[in-house]
Amino acid sequence: MAEPAASSSSGASLPLIESELYFLIARFLSTGPCRRALKVLVQELEQHQLLPKRLDWQGNEHYRSYEELVLSNKHVAPDHLLQICKRIGPILDKEIPPSISRVNSLLGAGRQSLLRTAKDCRNTVWKGSAFAALHRGRPPEMPVNYGTPPNLVEVHRAKQLTGYAKFSTSFPGSMYQHVKMHRRILGHLSSVYCVAFDRTGHRIFTGSDDCLVKIWSTHNGRLFATLRGHSAEISDMAVNYENTMIAAGSCDKMIRVWCLRTCAPVAVLHGHTGSITSLQFSPMVKGSLRYMVSTGADGTVCFWQWDTDSMKFNTKPVKFTEKPRPGVQMLCSSFSVGGMFLATGSTDHVIRMYFFGSETPEKIAELESHADKVDSIQFSNGGDRFISGSRDGTARIWRFEQAEWRSILLDMSDRLLGDTCAEEDKFMKPKVTMIAWNQNDNYVVTAVNNHLLKVWNSSTGQLLHDLVGHADEVFVLETHPFDCRIMLSAGHDGNIFIWDITKGTKTKHYFNMIEGQGHGAVFDCKFSPDGQHFACTDSHGHLLIFGFGCSRPYEKIPDQMFFHTDYRPLIRDSNNYVLDEQTQQAPHLMPPPFLVDVDGNPHPTKYQRLVPGRENCADEHLIPQLGYVATSDGEVVEQVIGQQTVDQDEPGLEPSILDGMIRQLQLEQDQRTGADQESAPSGPQNGEGTPRRAFRRPSLDIQSPPNIGLRRSGQVEGVRQMHQNAPRSQMATERDLQAWRRRVVVPEIPPSLLRKQEEYRIAKGEEERDLYATENKKSFESLEKSDSESSLIQSKRRLHRRKYSKYRTRKNIEQLESSEEERDNCFGLVEQEAEESEGSGSSDEEEEWRSDKKSNSNSSSDSSSRYSDWIADAGINLQPPLRSSRRTALRYCSTSEDDVSAEKSSPPKRRRRKRRKKPKPKKQEEADAAAQPLNLELSYDWHPPVWITDTALRRSPFVPQMGTR
């Protein structure tokens, strides 16, 4: 019997999907707490015939009850509707990404709605009021995949309405896409490896292989000054924290310091016998006392002391000679934020730590965790950690805990999950080429020789991102001064990238292509302190200035900017201060030079007004005087000699023959006086390192006279050598000197800002000093807790020693001697400090005595290898030669060059003979007596064990040897 066909008009017009939805709702309610609602719903659905109907073979619809539908659809579970809703969201997110990923809601609106389309989310208009109303008035984090975020005007309008705005919202990462190159300027004839900003960000310094340091304007690219004096490549530069001086180290083994206000030379420092590899001003503030540190290829670290009030350097540095074997070089250095710690890397794989908490710098640790040279090192912005990069393919993040430096290993061979190894990487040993922290120290970035940049979590050492884009090795990593997301990288492939390291994405890319010369390798980059500019230097002598905003101010300068005096020959005195050979004047006292191109051709008059000091000159004074000059190759070229003058006919300006003869006689007399002083035995020099009478060093405010006699002999540097006599117009007058004293080449930091920066550095220094003392105290307490356990072990050793006293092995003998020497070193620590403070003579003898002991120990260790370990079995108590091996002293002492030279000059017999200690004077005995209570308070762990002190001396029996009668 066939079922009656459905005749309800309400059920016939209902779409099938709606009737199925009613059925699924009823099934969902069947397992929930709403039983009465289910009963009422089923009654209404059956009354109105809203449930899905059955079709027969003729296409007629037949009504079915709720129970019949359940029995015929047993595959539909009660949670069938819930599972459908859960799967819709992720599927839609792949097609149209939402505002907030992984958050699915059936009630969402906008880009969170399940009914969203690509057209609805394409052009979203952001208003300040709507933006401020989101999330209880607090602007949320901008979505990662949002196409066009709100502009800064709307963001700041929202901030005014709510009083709050996130940094990432106010300054989105896409903002750095608007950075552009303002100008590329050719200012050097050789590669430029050093670039730096001053502390205000208004000036740029470049140091090149053409021996010059140049000062540029950040905001328009003007060339302000050229600092001459070095005779080899510039290897590193540093600006002090007061923004009053710049120091430059060179391959000529010297450090030159100039005053930034007047460009006058402040000091010429001689302390290294090799090239300068790194140069740092210490951030430590201790009254007016400051330090500058330099490392050299000779394996030494020099700490130069200077005073902020007088701006004078102590010419004799505190020197540490870190040369355990020949050929060791110090490569890099880095100060902590407070200046209490200094970390250095070297070619002998060792990281050396220095501490500034006492009166003088002292070495506190040697870290030997790397297997190859450590050529990059950097302290964090917080100052409590530092990272070291090595050629062994690893980097380590170090932290001082419990009186030792502990590290987290970053292996460059690590890879991300799912990342496959390339074929060429299988045969390449990874090496770290550069390291950097981001601004908040959450991430570290390492550059690897396979052209990858790796981003690591600095706390856990987990690899987060691999930044791909470079095609050659990267030696430049620079973090943004205040944006923790941004990192800049540059390499020898000519590419400059701005990265967002939190996302691992590329924000901006620039390729340094030089027309007609290919690409130029980028050697150095630096951000300005305000983050609005960054400067780069390349292998072709260019300075590249990048930044936000308009480039119109940079269009007023030429592409090639040189002064016609840049490469003139210099003459030097005995202290290596220089004068211009033609004008016999100090370079900073010479008249304003002319602006020329790379070939020496003068620029038009409009460019000559860019030279400081020529802004208000008349037009006739901006036309240079040209002359024919013979170069070193014999070619005659036309170059700038001086300024054309119209006042040659005025009386008193003609060069006088008599004045020239008098000046020449004075020069010859000064030369003879200087030669006599050099040949005679020189007494103690002035502590300030002032030059001889022949050349008075110019001070900072009172400059030296323009014409001061110098030795004519000396190294003459410069690519373009010009030997013609300078015209009278290039001699500085007294009025010119007064005007140049008042000029300011580099502005100073405002006093209020300088005071705040010093207070911050002082606070960080005290924090680092407290950290060092606290961690050492923790270690001291842990040693005291282990005293009870060590005493039990020592008593067992004593019993064992009494029972087996006849058996003496070489190991026991070494333990006995080393423990005795350890005791001598421990109780002689204060005595050693007193002897070091007594004078230089005693310290020299002590160093020589130590070297003698070390040489004897080496020879004895070689000769003792032919003795047997066990000697009691044969009935003989022969002993190998006594070893005099010393453990490393607790306090590291610096070895000066005078000690090394004295040791080399001493005869061999005298060096082999052991020296007896001289009787100490009364003052030293009093110092030892005063320091004795301090020694007695040492931990029990430093005392010799009982089994060593409780030994009886035994007489060795006579054993006849071959040849004895």
Side-chain angles (χ1 to χ4, degrees):
M1 186 174 180
E3 296 180 3
S7 60
S8 175
S9 60
S10 61
S13 61
L14 191 67
L16 177 62
I17 191 169
E18 292 185 16
S19 60
E20 290 177 348
L21 180 61
Y22 281 127
F23 172 70
L24 293 177
I25 293 173
R27 287 290 288 161
F28 178 74
L29 293 176
S30 64
T31 57
C34 304
R35 300 292 179 143
R36 289 188 297 177
L38 173 64
K39 186 177 181 180
V40 174
L41 177 63
V42 170
Q43 290 177 357
E44 291 186 353
L45 290 177
E46 292 179 348
Q47 178 183 355
H48 298 286
Q49 297 183 2
L50 298 178
L51 295 173
K53 299 176 178 58
R54 181 181 64 85
L55 295 175
D56 58 13
W57 62 279
Q58 293 180 348
N60 299 322
E61 293 182 347
H62 300 273
Y63 169 76
R64 287 186 296 182
S65 64
Y66 174 76
E67 296 297 335
E68 292 175 347
L69 280 173
V70 173
L71 292 175
S72 62
N73 296 281
K74 293 181 179 180
H75 64 281
V76 178
D79 62 342
H80 191 79
L81 179 62
L82 179 62
Q83 296 299 326
I84 291 176
C85 295
K86 286 183 177 180
R87 296 191 63 179
I88 289 177
I91 295 175
L92 181 62
D93 291 350
K94 294 180 180 179
E95 298 295 329
I96 307 172
S99 297
I100 304 173
S101 59
R102 297 185 299 275
V103 176
N104 298 317
S105 173
L106 300 176
L107 308 178
R111 295 199 69 169
Q112 294 298 120
S113 173
L114 295 180
L115 301 177
R116 65 182 181 269
T117 61
K119 183 179 179 181
D120 297 335
C121 303
R122 188 173 301 163
N123 296 318
T124 302
V125 179
W126 286 84
K127 295 183 179 180
S129 57
F131 189 68
L134 295 177
H135 196 65
R136 299 178 184 175
R138 174 182 174 182
E141 185 74 20
M142 294 302 302
V144 175
N145 51 9
Y146 198 82
T148 56
N151 55 42
L152 293 180
V153 177
E154 300 296 342
V155 170
H156 289 291
R157 175 58 180 165
K159 182 180 179 181
Q160 292 177 358
L161 295 175
T162 62
Y164 179 85
K166 280 191 175 182
F167 177 83
S168 56
T169 306
S170 300
F171 301 97
S174 58
M175 177 184 67
Y176 294 94
Q177 296 177 359
H178 302 287
V179 174
K180 59 182 178 181
M181 187 183 71
H182 292 310
R183 199 61 184 246
R184 180 169 58 196
I185 309 167
L186 179 62
H188 293 275
L189 295 181
S190 301
S191 301
V192 186
Y193 281 92
C194 305
V195 66
F197 280 87
D198 75 324
R199 300 292 173 177
T200 64
H202 299 314
R203 299 290 183 268
I204 303 174
F205 307 102
T206 55
S208 172
D209 284 358
D210 61 2
C211 317
L212 299 181
V213 176
K214 291 195 172 186
I215 305 177
W216 311 80
S217 172
T218 305
H219 307 292
N220 53 26
R222 288 176 59 188
L223 176 59
F224 277 112
T226 299
L227 305 179
R228 297 191 287 164
H230 278 296
S231 57
E233 297 88 346
I234 307 297
S235 57
D236 200 6
M237 297 188 307
V239 181
N240 67 335
Y241 286 85
E242 293 76 16
N243 206 48
T244 56
M245 293 187 299
I246 181 173
S250 172
C251 295
D252 61 5
K253 311 172 188 177
M254 288 185 294
I255 302 170
R256 292 184 179 270
V257 186
W258 290 276
C259 171
L260 288 181
R261 179 173 166 270
T262 61
C263 296
V266 175
V268 180
L269 306 177
H270 312 264
H272 293 277
T273 58
S275 301
I276 310 299
T277 55
S278 71
L279 203 58
Q280 302 277 339
F281 276 97
S282 172
M284 183 193 67
V285 178
K286 189 183 293 184
S288 61
L289 175 65
R290 301 289 189 274
Y291 278 100
M292 181 183 70
V293 65
S294 61
T295 62
D298 55 353
T300 60
V301 182
C302 293
F303 298 92
W304 307 90
Q305 185 176 338
W306 62 283
D307 188 84
T308 55
D309 297 334
S310 62
M311 293 181 65
K312 291 183 178 179
F313 279 77
N314 188 352
T315 56
K316 292 186 177 181
V318 178
K319 182 185 293 188
F320 289 82
T321 302
E322 313 291 359
K323 209 166 186 179
R325 61 177 184 271
V328 174
Q329 301 179 4
M330 305 302 293
L331 299 178
C332 53
S333 62
S334 178
F335 270 105
S336 59
V337 179
M340 288 295 115
F341 295 105
L342 173 72
T344 61
S346 60
T347 57
D348 63 349
H349 321 163
V350 180
I351 300 171
R352 294 171 174 84
M353 302 300 301
Y354 301 87
F355 183 62
F356 287 74
S358 56
E359 292 297 327
T360 58
E362 59 178 343
K363 184 166 63 174
I364 59 174
E366 289 186 352
L367 312 177
E368 302 183 8
S369 297
H370 288 290
D372 205 340
K373 64 179 180 180
V374 182
D375 55 3
S376 54
I377 201 164
Q378 186 178 3
F379 260 95
S380 63
N381 298 296
D384 58 341
R385 294 179 294 171
F386 72 91
I387 181 174
S388 61
S390 172
R391 291 288 174 165
D392 61 359
T394 63
R396 290 181 178 268
I397 301 175
W398 300 85
R399 181 193 291 271
F400 188 71
E401 293 178 348
Q402 295 185 354
E404 64 177 357
W405 293 89
R406 301 179 180 179
S407 63
I408 300 175
L409 177 65
L410 308 179
D411 192 353
M412 298 303 114
S413 60
D414 291 351
R415 298 188 177 278
L416 296 171
L417 294 177
D419 194 7
T420 59
C421 180
E423 287 296 330
E424 59 271 11
D425 293 343
K426 295 180 180 179
F427 306 99
M428 178 185 296
K429 178 186 176 182
K431 298 179 182 179
V432 179
T433 58
M434 189 52 64
I435 53 177
W437 296 83
N438 76 323
Q439 198 273 334
N440 59 5
D441 298 336
N442 290 338
Y443 306 100
V444 292
V445 182
T446 59
V448 196
N449 61 336
N450 60 358
H451 316 156
L452 286 180
L453 304 182
K454 293 181 177 290
V455 183
W456 310 79
N457 187 315
S458 64
S459 301
T460 62
Q462 178 187 1
L463 179 62
L464 302 178
H465 304 291
D466 278 342
L467 307 181
V468 183
H470 284 284
D472 204 343
E473 292 188 356
V474 177
F475 291 95
V476 177
L477 284 178
E478 186 71 14
T479 184
H480 197 275
F482 58 82
D483 195 339
C484 59
R485 305 165 299 175
I486 300 303
M487 183 75 68
L488 186 145
S489 68
H492 288 181
D493 56 356
N495 288 310
I496 303 172
F497 288 100
I498 298 179
W499 305 92
D500 188 337
I501 59 175
T502 58
K503 302 176 184 177
T505 58
K506 188 188 309 176
T507 302
K508 183 70 175 178
H509 170 234
Y510 174 78
F511 184 61
N512 186 28
M513 175 59 70
I514 304 173
E515 184 178 357
Q517 303 181 38
H519 74 274
V522 182
F523 287 154
D524 200 6
C525 292
K526 288 292 186 301
F527 269 107
S528 63
D530 59 359
Q532 299 297 308
H533 299 85
F534 67 89
C536 304
T537 54
D538 66 6
S539 57
H540 289 61
H542 291 98
L543 168 65
L544 294 82
I545 304 177
F546 293 82
F548 294 99
C550 180
S551 303
R552 188 171 300 171
Y554 300 87
E555 297 174 357
K556 300 178 181 179
I557 61 173
D559 293 333
Q560 302 174 2
M561 298 185 70
F562 296 85
F563 288 148
H564 79 280
T565 57
D566 283 349
Y567 303 100
R568 278 187 175 177
L570 298 173
I571 53 178
R572 307 168 188 274
D573 71 342
S574 58
N575 294 297
N576 277 290
Y577 288 90
V578 297
L579 293 183
D580 185 77
E581 186 182 72
Q582 293 186 10
T583 61
Q584 297 291 306
Q585 293 177 349
H588 68 284
L589 294 179
M590 294 176 61
F594 286 97
L595 209 58
V596 298
D597 59 11
V598 68
D599 297 323
N601 302 317
H603 284 297
T605 305
K606 63 177 182 178
Y607 293 136
Q608 301 298 338
R609 296 190 185 276
L610 299 176
V611 179
R614 294 191 180 274
E615 297 91 344
N616 301 318
C617 289
D619 292 340
E620 58 268 14
H621 293 163
L622 298 177
I623 302 175
Q625 178 182 354
L626 300 177
Y628 291 95
V629 178
T631 63
S632 57
D633 299 334
E635 183 182 0
V636 178
V637 297
E638 188 180 28
Q639 290 182 354
V640 176
I641 294 181
Q643 172 181 313
Q644 286 187 357
T645 56
V646 295
D647 50 359
Q648 291 292 333
D649 296 335
E650 295 181 8
L653 294 181
E654 288 291 336
S656 174
I657 301 177
L658 182 60
D659 292 341
M661 295 176 62
I662 294 175
R663 191 178 297 109
Q664 185 67 24
L665 290 174
Q666 182 64 36
L667 287 175
E668 294 176 359
Q669 182 179 357
D670 290 341
Q671 292 172 12
R672 286 195 299 270
T673 305
D676 295 339
Q677 290 180 359
E678 290 176 358
S679 61
S682 59
Q685 298 292 331
N686 191 356
E688 300 176 356
T690 55
R692 300 179 185 273
R693 185 175 59 182
F695 179 33
R696 186 177 63 193
R697 184 182 68 177
S699 61
L700 301 178
D701 294 327
I702 304 176
Q703 310 295 349
S704 59
N707 304 313
I708 294 183
L710 270 171
R711 298 192 291 129
R712 296 293 296 186
S713 61
Q715 183 180 0
V716 176
E717 65 169 15
V719 180
R720 248 180 241 110
Q721 298 182 4
M722 294 187 277
H723 306 284
Q724 282 73 19
N725 294 325
R728 181 65 182 173
S729 61
Q730 289 207 253
M731 308 301 292
T733 63
E734 194 65 29
R735 184 179 61 182
D736 296 334
L737 297 178
Q738 293 293 336
W740 296 331
R741 288 193 193 108
R742 294 191 297 267
R743 68 175 179 176
V744 177
V745 179
V746 178
E748 297 181 357
I749 300 179
S752 58
L753 180 60
L754 179 61
R755 194 181 311 113
K756 290 182 179 179
Q757 293 177 353
E758 287 186 352
E759 291 174 357
Y760 173 75
R761 299 203 306 273
I762 291 173
K764 294 297 291 186
E766 294 176 353
E767 181 182 336
E768 293 167 3
R769 190 187 295 110
D770 295 342
L771 171 67
Y772 184 68
T774 303
E775 297 298 332
N776 282 330
K777 187 176 180 181
K778 289 180 182 178
S779 176
F780 185 75
E781 292 175 354
S782 62
L783 288 175
E784 288 182 344
K785 291 180 181 178
S786 62
D787 283 345
S788 58
E789 300 177 0
S790 61
S791 61
L792 180 61
I793 298 174
Q794 289 170 4
S795 62
K796 292 181 179 180
R797 288 178 177 174
R798 180 177 59 185
L799 295 176
H800 184 273
R801 177 64 180 170
R802 288 179 177 177
K803 187 175 180 180
Y804 303 100
S805 59
K806 292 182 180 180
Y807 285 89
R808 305 189 64 187
T809 63
R810 182 169 62 181
K811 183 178 181 180
N812 291 338
I813 295 172
E814 293 176 4
Q815 290 178 353
L816 174 63
E817 294 166 356
S818 62
S819 302
E820 289 178 352
E821 290 173 354
E822 181 180 353
R823 178 184 59 185
D824 296 339
N825 290 340
C826 176
F827 288 99
L829 180 60
V830 179
E831 176 184 347
Q832 174 186 347
E833 294 177 355
E835 290 177 358
E836 289 177 357
S837 61
E838 182 181 356
S840 61
S842 60
S843 62
D844 294 345
E845 294 175 357
E846 187 69 13
E847 291 293 337
E848 186 178 357
W849 179 76
R850 289 177 185 172
S851 63
D852 296 340
K853 293 285 288 182
K854 186 179 292 185
S855 61
N856 291 334
S857 67
N858 295 335
S859 60
S860 62
S861 64
D862 296 336
S863 61
S864 64
S865 61
R866 60 179 179 269
Y867 285 87
S868 174
D869 281 338
W870 292 94
I871 55 180
D873 296 338
I876 305 172
N877 200 16
L878 288 176
Q879 300 179 10
L882 294 177
R883 299 188 178 214
S884 58
S885 60
R886 279 183 182 267
R887 291 192 177 183
T888 307
L890 295 178
R891 182 181 294 274
Y892 296 87
C893 301
S894 62
T895 306
S896 62
E897 295 179 357
D898 300 336
D899 302 338
V900 178
S901 61
E903 185 178 351
K904 291 181 179 179
S905 61
S906 59
K909 294 182 180 180
R910 185 179 178 183
R911 292 179 60 185
R912 293 195 186 98
R913 188 174 61 227
K914 295 184 179 179
R915 288 179 174 267
R916 295 183 178 179
K917 291 187 178 180
K918 295 182 180 180
K920 292 179 286 188
K922 294 183 178 180
K923 292 183 179 180
Q924 188 172 351
E925 292 178 357
E926 293 174 1
D928 294 346
Q932 189 67 22
L934 178 63
N935 244 352
L936 296 178
E937 295 178 1
L938 292 174
S939 173
Y940 188 77
D941 187 60
W942 298 106
H943 294 183
V946 182
W947 65 274
I948 289 182
T949 58
D950 194 22
T951 57
L953 298 176
R954 299 183 182 275
R955 196 172 186 180
S956 177
F958 172 73
V959 178
Q961 303 290 332
M962 183 176 293
T964 59
R965 295 181 180 177

